[in-house]
């Protein structure tokens, strides 16, 4: 059920879309699935900052196989709620990606342009098999042919916050996924 909730630090209303309980349960199930598929493989779990940090922390703690963790930074939105379409990527240089199996961890797939660009760059740098693990998928605005291999929830075309997702750097800390009431 959708709940109205006022964020303490501002007067903006956040409507809860996916409760903390549902997110946590789904992340646990995803972690089991990923662990089963990667048993004996030592994948590199590669989070896309900043949005993935909470999802990834929960995901790897629920996995029961050894993994290595890395992060890269991607940004495309600036201060707005609509993607600029230009993706900037940083932090790839020191990562051990050559011939590695990589699980890309993303908070949300929207246009898909970020993941398309990152996958292309990883491949260009010699990565092995790449799979995508996303907490949320917003297929309504897809521009690139990108599909998650592991997915938490398909979501409607709202601008979402919480569980790592921000609006102008705010609301990442909310323990649930919600949207801003206009
Ligand atoms: P894409 O390149 O359009 O798929 O955008 C991916 C990135 O945009 C994600 O990693 C998020 O950081 C950000 N993003 C997309 N949709 C939302 C949203 O609804 N709320 C917050 N961030 C979003
Ligand atoms: Mg973001």
């Amino acid at each position: 059920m959708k709940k109205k909730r006022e964020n303490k630090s501002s007067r903006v209303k956040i409507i809860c879309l996916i409760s903390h309980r549902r997110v946590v349960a789904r992340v646990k199930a995803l972690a089991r699935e990923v662990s089963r598929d990667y048993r004996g493989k030592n994948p590199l779990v590669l989070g896309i900052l900043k949005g993935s940090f909470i999802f990834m922390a929960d995901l790897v703690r629920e996995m029961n196989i050894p993994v290595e963790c890395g992060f890269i930074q991607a940004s495309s939105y600036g201060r707005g709620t609509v993607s600029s379409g230009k993706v900037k990527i940083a932090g790839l240089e020191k990562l051990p990606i050559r011939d590695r199996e990589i699980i890309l961890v993303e908070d949300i797939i929207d246009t898909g342009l970020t993941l398309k660009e990152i996958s292309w760059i990883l491949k260009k740098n010699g990565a092995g098999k790449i799979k995508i693990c996303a907490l949320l998928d917003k297929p309504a605005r897809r521009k690139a042919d990108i599909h998650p291999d592991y997915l938490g929830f398909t979501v409607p075309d709202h601008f979402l916050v919480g569980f790592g997702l921000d609006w102008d750097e705010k609301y990442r800390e909310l323990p649930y996924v919600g949207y801003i009431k206009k």
Side-chain angles (χ1 to χ4, degrees):
M1 214 181 60
K2 286 178 186 173
K3 275 189 290 189
K4 278 188 188 175
R5 182 158 162 173
E6 192 154 359
N7 186 272
K8 279 184 218 140
S9 62
S10 71
R11 299 233 165 256
V12 170
K13 284 243 166 71
I14 311 286
I15 315 289
C16 179
L17 183 68
I18 309 168
S19 69
H20 178 68
R21 210 187 341 187
R22 281 183 68 208
V23 178
V24 168
R26 188 70 194 110
V27 173
K28 249 186 199 181
L30 280 180
R32 275 199 299 272
E33 216 183 307
V34 176
S35 301
R36 190 194 58 213
D37 293 354
Y38 282 87
R39 195 161 301 286
K41 290 187 174 161
N42 186 33
L44 176 65
V45 180
L46 194 53
I48 303 171
L49 292 172
K50 300 174 191 170
S52 72
F53 80 110
I54 291 179
F55 172 42
M56 177 152 151
D58 282 6
L59 184 78
V60 295
R61 281 180 297 180
E62 291 293 342
M63 285 171 66
N64 54 18
I65 56 162
V67 292
E68 273 177 47
C69 298
F71 290 97
I72 51 178
Q73 175 124 35
S75 44
S76 65
Y77 274 76
R79 292 173 62 88
T81 58
V82 177
S83 173
S84 67
K86 290 189 201 107
V87 182
K88 279 189 280 174
I89 293 162
L92 257 184
E93 313 73 32
K94 289 182 187 154
L95 287 168
I97 58 171
R98 184 155 292 278
D99 297 325
R100 286 298 288 277
E101 293 212 36
I102 293 177
I103 304 169
L104 272 175
V105 179
E106 177 65 307
D107 54 352
I108 183 166
I109 312 176
D110 185 14
T111 63
L113 294 171
T114 305
L115 281 168
K116 188 180 169 200
E117 183 74 11
I118 290 172
S119 304
W120 181 79
I121 290 178
L122 289 173
K123 279 281 172 209
K124 204 176 79 172
N125 283 275
K129 195 173 170 60
I130 301 168
K131 282 197 185 183
I132 294 168
C133 179
L135 178 63
L136 307 171
D137 185 14
K138 202 196 280 182
R141 303 181 348 117
R142 194 62 41 83
K143 288 185 185 155
D145 188 22
I146 288 286
H147 308 276
D149 299 281
Y150 305 97
L151 174 66
F153 303 90
T154 301
V155 292
D157 189 10
H158 289 305
F159 192 80
L160 302 174
V161 294
F163 219 81
L165 289 94
D166 74 304
W167 175 56
D168 198 12
E169 294 303 327
K170 290 194 281 284
Y171 310 118
R172 291 192 197 276
E173 74 283 8
L174 297 181
Y176 55 87
V177 175
Y179 57 93
I180 296 163
K181 188 167 185 250
K182 293 258 162 81

